[in-house]
Amino acid sequence: IGKRCEQLMRGAVKEVEQMDKHARENLASASDQTENDLSENKSSPIVLPKIWEIKAIKREQEQEKVTTERLQLEGKVEEIESQMEETQNRMKELTQYSNELSGKNSSHADEFPEDLLMDIANLVAVSEP
């Protein structure tokens, strides 16, 4: 048990030293201090954030990521819906046009074989306006 406690304590000390170093680097970059100033301030105490503060910051960052991802997905959904609407409108126009042709000229209905008519309809629906 004693060895395990020592290992945990060494790990905790290393973690605190890393957090201290990171906090000093952030402080130095924020106030544009030189390395000499940084070494002089090494003796001054640094206030490290509490665990609940760290968790709150991480939670906020994760919420921001989720929000941006949600906005991106909503934009993609709107784009897909507009594409679907365009395709439906094209199909309606094609159906209306084919109905007009079949109503006016029933003799021309034999020009296209029935099996190719669906391929033509799909080609028109997929093509750009």
Side-chain angles (χ1 to χ4, degrees), residues 102-114:
S102 65
K104 291 181 181 176
N105 300 328
S106 60
S107 63
H108 293 300
D110 296 333
E111 289 181 20
F112 294 108
E114 191 67 32

Side-chain angles (χ1 to χ4, degrees), residues 25-70:
E25 288 173 355
N26 287 344
L27 182 63
S29 65
S31 62
D32 295 330
Q33 293 179 344
T34 63
E35 290 184 19
N36 293 334
D37 293 339
L38 184 61
S39 62
E40 289 174 7
N41 286 339
K42 203 143 190 120
S43 60
S44 65
I46 292 278
V47 177
L48 297 176
K50 305 290 183 201
I51 189 78
W52 59 270
E53 292 173 338
I54 294 172
K55 286 183 180 181
I57 291 170
K58 286 182 181 179
R59 194 176 317 119
E60 288 177 10
Q61 291 172 346
E62 290 174 5
Q63 286 178 346
E64 288 176 8
K65 287 180 185 178
V66 167
T67 303
T68 56
E69 185 176 350
R70 178 178 288 146

Side-chain angles (χ1 to χ4, degrees), residues 69-86:
E69 185 176 350
R70 178 178 288 146
L71 290 175
Q72 290 174 350
L73 290 175
E74 287 175 356
K76 289 179 182 179
V77 166
E78 289 177 4
E79 181 181 332
I80 290 172
E81 287 177 346
S82 68
Q83 289 175 353
M84 287 174 51
E85 187 177 332
E86 286 178 17

